[in-house]
Amino acid sequence: MSSTLSAESVPIRPYTVRFLPSGAAAAAGKDETLLAVARRAGLVVDAPCGGEGTCGKCVVRVPPTARSGLRVEDDGVLSADDVREGLALSCQTVVAGDVEVFIPNADTGVGMRILTDGYTGEVHLDPHIRKRYHADAHATLVYAGDDIIGNESGDTTREVYAAAVDIGTTTLVASLLDLSRGAVVATESSLNPQALHAQDVLSRIKTGSTDQGLAFLHGMLRDEINALLSRLATSSGVRLYRVYEVALSGNTCMLHLATGAPTASLGKYPYTPAIRGGHSLPATDVGLRIAPFGQVYLPPIIGPYVGADITSGILVTQLERRPGVVLFVDIGTNGEIVLSDNGRLLAASTAAGPAFEGMNIRHGMRAGPGAVERFRIATDLTIHAVTIGGQPASGICGSGLVDIVAELVRVGIVAPNGRMARPTTLGVPALEDRLLLLDGKPAFRVAKAIYLTQSDVRHVQFAKGALRAGIELLLKHAGRAADQVDEVIIAGSFGYHLQVDSLARLGLLPAVLSDRVRFVGNTSRTGAEAFLLNTKARHHIHELVARVNVVELADDARFQAVFVQSMGFGQAS
Ligand code: FES
């Protein structure tokens, strides 16, 4: 039966909106919000409140010439200074004509820095997928562990591949492995397309709690992983039907969304995951286009907020085999911490909030071009702000934020209790002209039109306090003092770009540990590779994860006191 489109089903979009500085453009319907149009133009806009008009992050700058083409709601979230500067919330601004607006906190993902490298350790080559040629039948059998999963005509033993995919909340990183040699033959990365619609984990849990939302989020992730697999195949010359397994690693929510498992239970007490990982699925069930009988492996999940990415990190760093007391820390919106005390593992997650990802920070942004990523105040008090790509500063990313606050603590602009000096109270003329009041509150000019405000410092304090409190309580649960920790392993993209002295100055880690820190990068991906390369690793880690003692910090009566104590800045903390 042929179908016809009714006039109502075709959206009418009479206007064009162009977003600067990227130049991305999209057609807009009457009364559509700028946020919706920006997303259609492929821009990733920080919108943690999901367009409710409460978070204040989705700002656009409206030039006077564009005012007639827009209807701006006065929401009361932006300050009077911001409104005077022409700022408006894109989620509360509707289109009424052709316009050009500046959207500073958005990017297309192009040029975004995605950390693909990570510590690989030593993995004995004993892959889960193997092939055996049977000359009598002139056929090759494909095994997954001890099971025969496929039968190919002729001798195909030289072509045996698998892919590892790290599914981050913001980015995806995939690698293709030649299992006959244990070598990585190609690596690709991209933005997680879900970030266009819901940036943080909590809003994705909410969206994935309905059948429709789950199908939407799963579908876009599946398509992006398939696109990455195609790119891996193209760049390496490998045929996708010779890829027999994909290992997916990521936080608990991402693993649910990648496999189409409902996320509702992750959003309400007792936060029980619908899947626990540690098993394989047919690739066709997940919708991945590899060999028709190919499989998808999910590493075991430790808990609702300590995911398979941490399992992968434990595996590849051989955490439980390291001598002494070792802290494994992944700093993100959830700080995930694992303590190994001579092989006994304790894990916890702590809600650090998104400050370290540049969110809820006045000029915060992700690690893309123009983000201040390094910051120093030299002995002659000159300021050195380094941006990604050497471009004019357009915001501050997580590592820059840590550097800036650490330096301001060092020179006394931020006191150990987090209070910022007010203009003219500092007594240091060289820095005095960078201090000002924004909406009556102290702020520091980091670069042209880029400020760090008192409220930003408070957000950093909360994030730092939560993470440090998690570390302190985990140590207490293990009956250990900080100076008994032999090694600190920091995983993840954010951690990779941090400077140890800034971490110490902020008091994010106990000062005594600053010379014991090691950065290992993206161990979620390299751990996923290890699962592909060594089948015994799966049995081993399955048993190990079952023995991890997950400490619920929220249930610990000491948490609040330790958290408040941990909010102070400085070396002595
Ligand atoms: S998305 Fe939060 S205020 Fe617009």
Side-chain angles (χ1 to χ4, degrees):
M1 194 177 89
S2 69
S3 64
T4 52
L5 284 172
S6 67
E8 290 79 14
S9 67
V10 182
I12 298 167
R13 298 191 179 120
Y15 308 125
T16 302
V17 181
R18 185 173 299 281
F19 296 95
L20 302 173
S22 72
K30 190 167 174 292
D31 293 342
E32 223 183 342
T33 67
L34 276 179
L35 179 63
V37 183
R39 285 174 167 169
R40 195 172 326 107
L43 293 169
V44 181
V45 183
D46 281 340
C49 76
E52 298 284 327
T54 54
C55 69
K57 286 306 294 178
C58 64
V59 285
V60 286
R61 187 182 300 278
V62 180
T65 48
R67 298 234 164 108
S68 60
L70 295 169
R71 251 191 358 264
V72 183
E73 296 286 322
D74 185 5
D75 42 72
V77 169
L78 295 176
S79 69
D81 283 349
D82 286 338
V83 173
R84 255 194 307 280
E85 278 180 39
L87 298 188
L89 298 180
S90 62
C91 70
Q92 304 298 313
T93 302
V94 295
V95 182
D98 295 338
V99 283
E100 261 189 4
V101 297
F102 288 84
I103 189 151
N105 289 345
D107 58 58
T108 54
V110 176
M112 189 167 161
R113 189 171 54 192
I114 299 175
L115 180 66
T116 57
D117 290 339
Y119 175 72
T120 51
E122 276 179 28
V123 182
H124 173 65
L125 184 60
D126 179 15
H128 186 65
I129 299 290
R130 287 172 299 112
K131 284 186 168 183
R132 193 166 298 147
Y133 175 59
H134 294 266
D136 46 343
H138 190 47
T140 301
L141 295 181
V142 183
Y143 292 82
D146 294 330
D147 300 329
I148 296 170
I149 57 168
N151 183 347
E152 294 173 338
S153 135
D155 182 354
T156 64
T157 48
R158 279 186 308 181
E159 290 179 277
V160 51
Y161 296 93
V165 183
D166 163 44
I167 309 167
T169 311
T170 311
T171 56
L172 304 180
V173 179
S175 55
L176 187 66
L177 287 95
D178 178 343
L179 296 178
S180 67
R181 299 183 289 129
V184 173
V185 294
T187 309
E188 293 285 345
S189 63
S190 69
L191 271 184
N192 183 336
Q194 296 173 339
L196 284 167
H197 301 273
Q199 284 208 324
D200 55 293
V201 168
L202 287 182
S203 36
R204 279 184 233 180
I205 288 175
K206 197 170 148 203
T207 307
S209 298
T210 65
D211 289 348
Q212 203 186 6
L214 180 63
F216 177 64
L217 291 180
H218 167 62
M220 68 171 65
L221 190 51
R222 176 203 58 212
D223 292 350
E224 190 62 36
I225 295 173
N226 276 325
L228 279 174
L229 291 170
S230 294
R231 279 161 49 198
L232 287 171
T234 306
S235 61
S236 61
V238 168
R239 291 168 294 188
L240 276 174
Y241 60 83
R242 298 292 190 220
V243 177
Y244 301 95
E245 191 172 37
V246 177
L248 299 178
S249 183
N251 67 40
T252 305
C253 174
M254 290 311 123
L255 244 53
H256 279 63
L257 295 175
T259 54
T263 54
S265 62
L266 295 175
K268 48 180 188 282
Y269 188 81
Y271 310 109
T272 314
I275 52 168
R276 302 296 318 204
H279 64 285
S280 295
L281 300 163
T284 45
D285 282 9
V286 183
L288 296 189
R289 290 196 296 271
I290 55 172
F293 49 83
Q295 298 190 340
V296 169
Y297 174 70
L298 308 175
I301 288 167
I302 299 171
Y305 291 100
V306 185
D309 48 348
I310 303 303
T311 310
S312 297
I314 293 173
L315 173 70
V316 79
T317 58
Q318 302 201 327
L319 192 62
E320 81 289 359
R321 293 189 185 156
R322 297 178 101 83
V325 180
V326 187
L327 261 178
F328 178 95
V329 186
D330 190 331
I331 308 172
T333 304
N334 277 306
E336 287 152 306
I337 312 157
V338 185
L339 180 85
S340 171
D341 187 339
N342 291 294
R344 187 170 73 99
L345 298 181
L346 286 98
S349 76
T350 173
F356 290 141
E357 287 168 4
M359 286 161 74
N360 291 349
I361 299 297
R362 184 184 178 106
H363 285 127
M365 64 183 281
R366 284 178 299 277
V372 174
E373 59 164 343
R374 289 260 181 279
F375 182 87
R376 278 282 170 266
I377 300 177
T379 39
D380 63 359
L381 300 181
T382 52
I383 302 281
H384 300 271
V386 177
T387 61
I388 296 177
Q391 298 195 9
S394 52
I396 303 167
C397 67
S399 62
L401 183 67
V402 169
D403 264 9
I404 295 164
V405 178
E407 283 295 85
L408 297 189
V409 168
R410 184 175 66 80
V411 300
I413 289 178
V414 171
N417 67 4
R419 183 166 303 153
M420 281 184 96
R422 296 179 82 84
T424 73
T425 59
L426 191 64
V428 182
L431 295 176
E432 208 83 67
D433 67 339
R434 289 193 173 248
L435 281 169
L436 67 158
L437 291 181
L438 283 180
D439 296 325
K441 299 265 171 52
F444 179 84
R445 183 164 50 82
V446 174
K448 189 167 174 234
I450 304 295
Y451 301 99
L452 183 89
T453 67
Q454 176 68 77
S455 139
D456 297 339
V457 175
R458 293 291 180 217
H459 281 294
V460 172
Q461 239 179 325
F462 275 98
K464 175 260 172 186
L467 196 69
R468 179 65 184 273
I471 292 171
E472 295 291 338
L473 282 174
L474 219 47
L475 286 170
K476 281 186 203 297
H477 275 270
R480 293 291 191 176
D483 63 0
Q484 291 180 295
V485 174
D486 299 289
E487 192 181 10
V488 180
I489 297 175
I490 296 186
S493 176
F494 169 60
Y496 199 68
H497 298 102
L498 290 175
Q499 309 206 64
V500 176
D501 52 351
S502 291
L503 280 180
R505 206 162 278 133
L506 229 54
L508 222 142
L509 289 173
V512 68
L513 299 181
S514 43
D515 59 350
R516 302 173 204 175
V517 175
R518 173 167 185 209
F519 297 101
V520 291
N522 187 344
T523 50
S524 178
R525 183 202 112 191
T526 51
E529 290 171 358
F531 280 115
L532 296 168
L533 294 172
N534 188 297
T535 188
K536 292 193 185 73
R538 303 184 187 197
H539 304 296
H540 167 68
I541 210 80
H542 204 84
E543 286 169 14
L544 190 70
V545 163
R547 287 192 280 119
V548 176
N549 183 358
V550 179
V551 177
E552 291 299 340
L553 297 179
D555 297 343
D556 192 316
R558 296 168 293 184
F559 183 79
Q560 198 54 29
V562 177
F563 171 59
V564 171
Q565 221 172 45
S566 302
M567 282 176 58
F569 290 130
Q571 296 268 27
S573 59

